Amino acid sequence: MRESFEDFLNADARAASCLAIYVDELLRVGFKGSSETEINDELQKSIIPVFRYLNDKDVFEAFYKQHLAKRLLGGKSVSDEAERAMVSQLKAECGYQFTSKLEGMFNDMRISRDTRAAYKSHKKAQPTTSSRDIKKTKPVDIEVDVLTAGYWPSQNVPPCSLPSVIQDAIDTFSTFYLQKHTGRKLSWQTYTGSAEIRATFGTAPNYRRHDLCVSTYQMCILSLFNDQPKLTLGQIRSETSIPDVELRRHLISLCTPRHRILRKGSKGKEISSDDDDFTFNAEFKSKLKRVRIPLVSLKDASVAQKGSGEGGTKNGDGAGGVAGLGGGDTGGALPGPVEEDRRHLVEAGIVRIMKARKMLHHNDLIAEVTRQLSVRFVPTPQFVKKRIESLIEREYLERAPDDRRVYKYIA
């Protein structure tokens, strides 16, 4: 029965990603109102038994880390206790190495809270600016999460051009932080994050003010309309340096019927060319004082772009995702970052074993590598053989002269 269930579960390569999505749903809303004992019982009954049968535990880890990052940075978790309970269960099942980066993410959030509190105290201690200067340039408040690069999922997306008032706030924080932590480097991930901006709609004297909750990219786009009433797609791209696919996605989100902050000059859902123009919609109305502008999915934005006859390369999720992982449905393909990690893990395992044993037969080496890595994933013999060949080419190993199926470690 156990072997049959294991075979059935691992027959679909999407099992690991689907389990990660289910856990994400539980940790967002499913455990709401549950006690710590009830959470642990539910994890033990419905999550860990299924996780135990997964062969691709590293795929689950990659998707789980992606969802965890969104929950922590967006404040979407049911509770810290529920999050830590899940990580504790994974640690008990797979060991410290499996959860070290996840625990590092929690530690980063704790340190970031302390850093934000220290920065607020630092700003209060600064000399007050005269009322005349305040009227010229109103300062903005920024809340920064300082994250360790090795712990968090990230994408290689260049930073966009921020409004000058935001850039000034960033420079002030950078000066404060780097004075306290010499030798460190801050790399600003502008494709993540969110902003709350106050927008004025209507005409005098019947102005309507709404606080718009938007992404960082949407903030950059909307701030351009403070100076110009109409802008084309090409002009917005030039001013903001936002990647093309993400720019189209965020513009479409600002032009939806329910949240039409901008008006698009051309008809239809798609953005047809760089000459498509956008104007600020002063007639926008909402019953809510605080309006959240949701992003359309990448799938919807891609459909709109295909409708215009223009191609493009996806640059990832503007809300902050993991490069190469995409959504929950990977179509059974192994995510790129996971495949790269597997290559490194297999090669490191081979070198570690051969360094200790000096000489080993091919079958024995494959069996030992599989045994050591089975806590994360089960590599195929063909995959291990390719990594052995790669190590031979790089002169970490060599074949025995009298038997080509025996490998020797090169010191």
Side-chain angles (χ1 to χ4, degrees):
M1 178 67 78
R2 182 184 182 280
E3 291 179 358
S4 298
F5 183 77
E6 188 173 351
D7 291 341
F8 158 75
L9 182 65
N10 291 289
D12 192 333
R14 298 171 298 176
S17 62
C18 290
L19 180 61
I21 291 171
Y22 177 63
V23 174
D24 178 58
E25 186 69 20
L26 286 177
L27 293 172
R28 281 177 183 268
V29 294
F31 286 145
K32 201 168 187 179
S34 300
S35 66
E36 188 175 347
T37 303
E38 290 172 336
I39 291 171
N40 280 313
D41 289 344
E42 181 65 22
L43 292 175
Q44 284 283 5
K45 288 178 183 177
S46 63
I47 303 299
I48 298 303
V50 178
F51 173 77
R52 196 171 289 147
Y53 286 116
L54 282 178
N55 287 339
D56 297 330
K57 291 182 174 65
D58 56 340
V59 176
F60 172 86
E61 181 199 13
F63 279 99
Y64 180 81
K65 187 163 72 169
Q66 176 189 24
H67 295 308
L68 175 62
K70 290 184 179 181
R71 290 196 302 273
L72 292 179
L73 295 175
K76 303 290 186 182
S77 295
V78 166
S79 68
D80 287 344
E81 291 74 18
E83 294 286 0
R84 292 187 181 279
M86 182 62 195
V87 173
S88 296
Q89 297 281 1
L90 294 175
K91 186 176 182 179
E93 195 68 27
C94 298
Y96 170 76
Q97 190 174 6
F98 189 85
T99 60
S100 60
K101 290 184 178 180
L102 303 179
E103 291 176 331
M105 293 166 72
F106 286 111
N107 192 48
D108 279 350
M109 294 305 293
R110 179 183 59 79
I111 295 173
S112 292
R113 284 193 291 269
D114 295 340
T115 302
R116 287 197 296 270
Y119 182 56
K120 285 183 180 178
S121 300
H122 168 76
K123 287 201 300 182
K124 287 180 181 178
Q126 298 303 303
T128 55
T129 312
S130 66
S131 58
R132 183 179 298 177
D133 292 335
I134 291 175
K135 288 180 180 178
K136 288 181 181 178
T137 56
K138 292 183 179 179
V140 297
D141 293 324
I142 62 170
E143 292 190 349
V144 182
D145 290 312
V146 183
L147 313 177
T148 305
Y151 295 155
W152 295 76
S154 62
Q155 302 178 39
N156 187 22
V157 180
C160 67
S161 299
L162 296 165
S164 58
V165 66
I166 304 296
Q167 190 60 54
D168 291 343
I170 283 177
D171 293 341
T172 303
F173 178 85
S174 297
T175 302
F176 161 79
Y177 183 82
L178 297 176
Q179 283 176 348
K180 286 182 171 291
H181 305 279
T182 55
R184 295 189 183 181
K185 180 183 177 182
L186 290 176
S187 177
W188 295 89
Q189 307 296 306
T190 54
Y191 67 91
T192 65
S194 59
E196 191 169 308
I197 58 178
R198 180 157 295 175
T200 303
F201 301 93
T203 56
N206 300 316
Y207 286 123
R208 302 182 304 278
R209 289 183 174 83
H210 294 281
D211 294 334
L212 306 180
C213 301
V214 296
S215 69
T216 304
Y217 282 167
Q218 287 174 326
M219 174 198 67
C220 295
I221 293 168
L222 291 175
S223 64
L224 297 177
F225 290 89
N226 286 331
D227 303 319
Q228 299 184 57
K230 181 184 289 188
L231 291 164
T232 64
L233 172 66
Q235 289 173 324
I236 296 172
R237 185 191 299 114
S238 175
E239 290 286 339
T240 62
S241 302
I242 297 174
D244 186 67
V245 172
E246 286 298 332
L247 177 59
R248 291 170 183 265
R249 178 190 179 196
H250 284 71
L251 281 169
I252 290 171
S253 301
L254 292 167
C255 297
T256 59
R258 188 175 179 183
H259 301 98
R260 186 163 286 147
I261 310 299
L262 300 180
R263 290 188 182 277
K264 186 163 63 72
S266 61
K267 293 183 179 180
K269 190 176 180 180
E270 70 276 0
I271 299 174
S272 57
S273 71
D274 280 5
D275 294 327
D276 269 10
D277 59 78
F278 299 85
T279 54
F280 180 70
N281 179 23
E283 297 176 7
F284 172 78
K285 292 181 180 180
S286 176
K287 295 179 181 179
L288 303 173
K289 170 71 175 175
R290 195 166 179 265
V291 182
R292 180 179 173 272
I293 311 297
L295 286 175
V296 299
S297 66
L298 275 171
K299 183 178 180 181
D300 290 342
S302 298
V303 168
Q305 188 172 347
K306 285 178 183 177
S308 67
E310 293 189 20
T313 304
K314 290 185 180 180
N315 288 290
D317 187 344
V322 180
L325 292 185
D329 184 3
T330 59
L334 194 66
V338 176
E339 189 171 7
E340 185 178 352
D341 285 344
R342 286 188 175 187
R343 286 199 296 269
H344 296 320
L345 285 169
V346 170
E347 289 182 359
I350 293 169
V351 171
R352 186 169 56 249
I353 293 165
M354 292 303 299
K355 191 174 183 179
R357 306 283 281 274
K358 305 302 181 187
M359 183 181 293
L360 207 59
H361 191 274
H362 175 79
N363 291 343
D364 295 334
L365 178 57
I366 287 181
E368 184 63 18
V369 169
T370 303
R371 185 188 68 80
Q372 289 193 10
L373 295 177
S374 59
V375 70
R376 293 183 63 84
F377 68 99
V378 179
T380 62
Q382 294 84 358
F383 186 74
V384 179
K385 185 179 179 182
K386 284 183 180 180
R387 301 335 308 157
I388 292 173
E389 296 291 345
S390 177
L391 290 170
I392 291 174
E393 290 176 6
R394 288 178 281 158
E395 299 183 349
Y396 284 91
L397 308 177
E398 64 179 0
R399 299 181 188 275
D402 54 338
D403 188 350
R404 291 184 59 80
R405 291 183 62 79
V406 174
Y407 306 112
K408 296 172 66 178
Y409 177 71
I410 301 175

